[in-house]
């Protein structure tokens, strides 16, 4: 049996962890008595203040938001994007009042359980993607239909309004940049349309912005990767455009998992100061202090010393960029001639000074198998059994509990697969694609007989 190759795993290769920088940061934090004593006691509810400040300034220089520098009042420290998603639901939703959780499909499948834990098992609904990343018209129509129903309003609430001052009527969950799993990036105009829509229908956008920092030009170019543009976050659009509502409608869910290491369990939330303050009042934070407090002091050192940005620029981006090129070349060489398509939507692009740059980035790409082949789960099963090759097949990304999402998947994303370049080295990725091509050739022949 050949060596297993796992193109499903959305984890960074362990050799890419900044171990030495973390050791130095740990030493620096713990050998400073002032930092050590504040790091080892309960943290403030909003999180370690120096880290909130460094994140605000780092995000300001990365995103250059139209509304200007990000104040640290817009930032709270979290235990990572998954933990924070659960916290957001605790304070801003009520299963009686919050009517629907809309999830862009194909969706990051592990998020479904977090919504189910919060009482939304019956209320998860998929929103189809189009080439622009989300079908906004479809969502508007679904909202109009839903709000027109006689049973769409309930006067009962589980959480008292004195304590839970802001409960949103709907939630929209998405990964708008280098999406997990579809790799699509929504353009600026799509984001503007979304912000208009969510304000109209009292929707809270929870945007997992966890891949943004890993980006490079799609085509090899002499341009510095630092110039690779990405669109503003939904929280930037929400902040930049006027609204009378101080709560706001978009929270950016950020994480150091993909750029430092998942084990550090540190992330951040960015939203309106009112949202951020209320988020920090989650019961478990009030009792235990901000999550990941000790590790926050290490991450702060990585940011203020510049070693994290250096690691991203000099290790992560060059490695992922190079693996991306190997993977895409192998797909074009071995899979496209068999009828496999790369289905990552219309590329986001920006033109500056006569140069058009199309960014690629994140961890994933998405392919769709030719229609004559059996379903993707059958291909995945055979790939695993016969070629020791694992990949995430389309049906895994159905919005759980939504029959229509499952039906749509049969005709669309369910016929595809997500491939990840974060875990394996270039040689193994190339080998993985060659194994898949061998299997597809056999399966295509079987279809003809
Ligand atoms: C879209 C998305 N959200 C959240 C996570 C998990 O983030 P964290 O490690 O910060 O909990 C992942 C990791 O795969 C992800 O792809």
């Amino acid at each position: 049996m050949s060596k297993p190759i796992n193109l499903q795993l959305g984890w960074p290769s362990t050799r890419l962890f900044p171990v030495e920088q973390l050791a130095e940061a740990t030493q620096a934090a713990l050998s400073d008595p002032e930092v050590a004593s504040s790091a080892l006691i309960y943290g403030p509810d909003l999180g370690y203040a120096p880290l909130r400040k460094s994140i605000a300034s780092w995000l300001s220089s990365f995103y250059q938001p139209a509304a200007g520098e990000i104040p640290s009042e817009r930032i709270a420290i979290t235990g990572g994007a998954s933990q924070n998603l659960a916290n957001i639901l605790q304070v801003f939703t009520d299963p009686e009042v919050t009517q629907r959780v809309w999830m862009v499909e194909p969706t990051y499948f592990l998020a479904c359980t977090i919504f189910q834990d919060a009482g939304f098992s019956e209320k998860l609904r998929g929103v189809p993607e189009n080439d622009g990343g989300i079908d906004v018209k479809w969502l508007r129509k679904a909202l109009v239909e839903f709000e027109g129903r006689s049973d769409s309003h309930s006067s009962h609430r589980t959480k008292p309004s004195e304590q839970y001052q802001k409960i949103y009527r709907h939630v929209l969950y998405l990964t708008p940049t280098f999406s997990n799993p579809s790799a699509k990036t929504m353009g600026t105009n799509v984001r503007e349309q979304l912000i208009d829509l969510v304000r109209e229908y009292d929707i809270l956008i929870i945007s997992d912005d966890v891949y943004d920092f890993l980006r490079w030009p799609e085509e090899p170019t002499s341009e510095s990767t630092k110039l690779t543009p990405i669109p503003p976050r939904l929280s930037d659009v929400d902040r930049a455009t006027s609204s009378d509502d101080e709560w706001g409608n978009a929270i950016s869910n950020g994480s150091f998992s993909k750029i430092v290491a998942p084990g550090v369990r540190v992330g951040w939330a960015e939203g309106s100061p009112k949202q951020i303050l209320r988020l920090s009042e989650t019961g478990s934070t009030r009792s235990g202090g901000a999550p990941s407090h000790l590790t926050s002091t290490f991450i702060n050192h990585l940011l203020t010393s510049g070693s994290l940005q250096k690691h991203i620029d000099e290790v992560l981006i060059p490695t992922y960029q190079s693996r991306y090129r190997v993977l895409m070349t192998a797909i074009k060489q071995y899979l496209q001639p068999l009828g496999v398509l790369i289905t990552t939507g219309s590329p986001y692009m920006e033109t500056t000074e006569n140069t058009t740059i199309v960014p690629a980035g994140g961890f994933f790409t998405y392919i769709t198998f030719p229609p004559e082949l059996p379903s993707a789960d059958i291909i995945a099963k055979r790939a695993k059994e016969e070629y020791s090759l694992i990949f995430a097949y389309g049906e895994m990304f159905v919005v759980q509990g939504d029959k229509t999402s499952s039906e749509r998947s049969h005709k669309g994303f369910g016929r595809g697969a997500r491939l990840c370049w974060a875990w394996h080295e270039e040689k193994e990725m190339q080998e993985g694609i060659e194994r898949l091509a061998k299997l597809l050739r056999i399966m295509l022949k079987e279809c003809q007989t």
Side-chain angles (χ1 to χ4, degrees):
M1 195 67 157
S2 37
K3 195 173 161 223
I5 294 180
N6 190 337
L7 298 181
Q8 172 172 330
L9 210 56
W11 297 1
S13 330
T14 56
R15 80 158 172 93
L16 297 176
F17 295 150
V19 178
E20 276 172 29
Q21 295 91 320
L22 270 168
E24 193 206 302
T26 308
Q27 179 66 25
L30 292 179
S31 55
D32 177 331
E34 211 180 301
V35 176
S37 57
S38 69
L40 290 166
I41 200 139
Y42 287 110
D45 295 349
L46 283 157
Y48 185 53
L51 180 60
R52 292 175 60 216
K53 210 167 148 218
S54 348
I55 290 178
S57 123
W58 174 62
L59 295 178
S60 299
S61 74
F62 181 78
Y63 288 107
Q64 312 256 317
E69 283 279 307
I70 299 165
S72 49
E73 291 72 39
R74 287 184 57 84
I75 307 287
I77 304 306
T78 71
S82 313
Q83 181 261 4
N84 187 47
L85 174 55
N87 272 6
I88 293 173
L89 300 179
Q90 286 184 32
V91 289
F92 291 125
T93 66
D94 176 326
E96 291 286 338
V97 180
T98 308
Q99 295 299 317
R100 288 281 178 263
V101 171
W102 304 93
M103 305 179 79
V104 174
E105 70 182 30
T107 195
Y108 169 52
F109 59 103
L110 295 174
C112 292
T113 322
I114 304 175
F115 288 112
Q116 287 159 349
D117 286 349
F120 290 106
S121 301
E122 309 284 312
K123 294 186 171 180
L124 303 188
R125 294 292 181 276
V127 182
E129 281 187 347
N130 55 16
D131 274 352
I134 178 172
D135 190 339
V136 183
K137 271 195 195 143
W138 187 99
L139 178 57
R140 176 174 284 283
K141 192 161 167 269
L143 284 161
V144 169
E145 269 169 28
F146 178 77
E147 293 294 348
R149 277 167 42 173
S150 55
D151 62 346
S152 70
H153 288 261
S154 145
S155 52
H156 184 69
R157 356 179 358 141
T158 315
K159 301 178 181 178
S161 53
E162 311 79 60
Q163 198 181 346
Y164 298 87
Q165 306 95 326
K166 179 64 193 170
I167 296 290
Y168 291 85
R169 194 164 158 72
H170 299 262
V171 166
L172 172 62
Y173 170 78
L174 36 68
T175 315
T177 305
F178 309 134
S179 169
N180 177 4
S182 75
K184 288 179 182 167
T185 294
M186 296 174 193
T188 309
N189 63 341
V190 174
R191 292 170 196 243
E192 287 165 354
Q193 287 168 31
L194 269 184
I195 290 297
D196 287 344
L197 185 65
V198 296
R199 286 181 182 160
E200 214 177 306
Y201 285 93
D202 191 20
I203 302 173
L204 173 64
I205 290 182
I206 305 174
S207 179
D208 276 2
D209 297 322
V210 299
Y211 296 105
D212 300 20
F213 308 92
L214 301 170
R215 86 281 187 244
W216 50 84
E218 188 184 46
E219 292 301 327
T221 155
S222 56
E223 297 287 346
S224 153
T225 53
K226 280 192 188 151
L227 298 177
T228 311
I230 54 165
R233 292 167 303 171
L234 284 149
S235 54
D236 293 321
V237 179
D238 196 25
R239 178 174 164 230
T241 52
S242 67
S243 160
D244 297 335
D245 180 7
E246 283 182 21
W247 284 105
N249 290 82
I251 295 183
S252 172
N253 205 11
S255 175
F256 289 101
S257 288
K258 313 293 174 188
I259 49 180
V260 177
V264 298
R265 294 286 88 220
V266 184
W268 67 92
E270 187 190 328
S272 72
K274 245 179 136 164
Q275 279 172 330
I276 291 304
L277 185 62
R278 183 65 191 91
L279 183 61
S280 75
E281 292 165 350
T282 315
S284 56
T285 302
R286 291 299 298 275
S287 167
S292 308
H293 182 51
L294 173 62
T295 343
S296 291
T297 62
F298 310 155
I299 300 291
N300 186 50
H301 187 84
L302 293 185
L303 275 178
T304 51
S305 66
S307 67
L308 176 57
Q309 196 54 56
K310 192 166 179 309
H311 179 67
I312 294 172
D313 292 341
E314 294 178 11
V315 176
L316 298 185
I317 290 178
T319 306
Y320 290 143
Q321 180 178 19
S322 181
R323 289 183 188 173
Y324 164 83
R325 298 232 157 88
V326 168
L327 182 69
M328 299 315 271
T329 307
I331 293 173
K332 285 175 190 159
Q333 184 178 349
Y334 296 103
L335 299 182
Q336 278 186 345
L338 303 175
V340 173
L341 302 174
I342 298 168
T343 42
T344 51
S346 0
Y348 172 77
M349 58 178 82
E350 259 181 41
T351 305
T352 33
E353 289 162 16
N354 297 331
T355 321
T356 300
I357 303 180
V358 177
F363 273 14
F364 309 106
T365 194
Y366 208 85
I367 55 170
T368 298
F369 295 114
E372 59 270 37
L373 284 177
S375 59
D377 58 327
I378 295 177
I379 303 174
K381 189 165 179 283
R382 284 190 61 178
K384 188 173 173 193
E385 287 171 2
E386 297 169 30
Y387 292 89
S388 301
L389 171 70
I390 300 173
F391 58 82
Y393 53 90
E395 299 267 315
M396 289 170 67
F397 307 113
V398 163
V399 173
Q400 288 167 26
D402 178 5
K403 268 198 217 126
T404 58
S405 172
S406 181
E407 282 160 18
R408 279 188 296 269
S409 85
H410 299 320
K411 292 186 215 119
F413 65 89
R415 301 204 46 81
R418 182 194 76 179
L419 306 175
C420 176
W421 54 74
W423 181 245
H424 280 296
E425 302 294 342
E426 294 172 13
K427 230 173 122 214
E428 292 152 326
M429 281 189 327
Q430 161 101 16
E431 159 82 23
I433 298 303
E434 287 179 29
R435 286 186 201 176
L436 182 56
K438 267 188 209 153
L439 171 65
L440 295 188
R441 259 183 241 117
I442 292 172
M443 291 182 84
L444 283 164
K445 266 206 192 121
E446 286 168 359
C447 298
Q448 285 160 3
T449 52

